[in-house]
Amino acid sequence: MNTINAVYNDETIRVYQAFNASIAEEAVRLNTFGKNFKTDRMTWIKPSFLWIMYRSGWAEKENQEHILAIDITRTGFEEILKKAVMSTYNECMGISREEWKQQIKISEVRCQFDPDRDIYGNPQKDRTIQLGLRGGMVEKYISEYIVEIIDITEKVRYMKTLRDSGKLVMEMLPVEVPYPTENIEIAGGINVKGKN
């Protein structure tokens, strides 16, 4: 099942990204991304904490040593969803493969669902959303959508130490719940768990 589970409140939703020290430290200082962040390439945001842990090796992979928790406006997040095009073609989209290819060429948002992970990186049955931003959407993301950037690297490293010693409990993880999507057309009508 495709899911959008996240930490959110009435105003913001939390997404995660992993970067090297120069990008991350600058972003925390500016509370947005600065000159070390490349706006001319696609950047991926992910609401799943355990997926970013899997992707970054719990902040141990090269150039992913810093984990940022980024609170963005729900308005911005929903705008991103509305403009998303799936990374791979599926007949459920209701469009032809050629139409999808044209959408992919011009879209500023790429969407894909990948197996969510447990604390050890094992794939789960539910598939969690990732959103790739480029072009004007990257500019909007860094100039309009970001509310707060928090470097959670030290907490991540502590949690990994607990995990490796068998002491990490699920209550220590962020509480991610289904994001309400009943009024949002997501990525060509792909079904998402949590619709009300």
Side-chain angles (χ1 to χ4, degrees), residues 84-111:
V85 174
M86 291 299 294
S87 292
T88 55
Y89 179 71
N90 187 308
E91 291 179 355
C92 296
M93 295 176 184
I95 59 174
S96 70
R97 186 179 295 273
E98 289 306 312
E99 288 173 310
W100 168 77
K101 286 180 180 179
Q102 289 303 312
Q103 288 185 9
I104 278 287
K105 283 182 183 178
I106 63 173
S107 174
E108 294 183 332
V109 182
R110 192 83 49 93
C111 174

Side-chain angles (χ1 to χ4, degrees), residues 20-36:
N20 61 34
S22 63
I23 294 174
E25 290 168 3
E26 181 183 61
V28 171
R29 187 175 71 252
L30 300 174
N31 202 46
T32 190
F33 291 100
K35 60 180 176 56
N36 291 320

Side-chain angles (χ1 to χ4, degrees), residues 18 20 26 42 48 50 61 68 76 80 90 92 109 120 122 127-128 143 176 183-184:
N20 61 34
E26 181 183 61
M42 186 167 283
S48 170
L50 285 177
K61 289 186 180 178
L68 301 181
I80 290 168
N90 187 308
C92 296
V109 182
Y120 300 106
N122 299 311
R127 300 171 68 81
T128 185
S143 65
E176 297 170 354
N183 296 318
I184 309 166

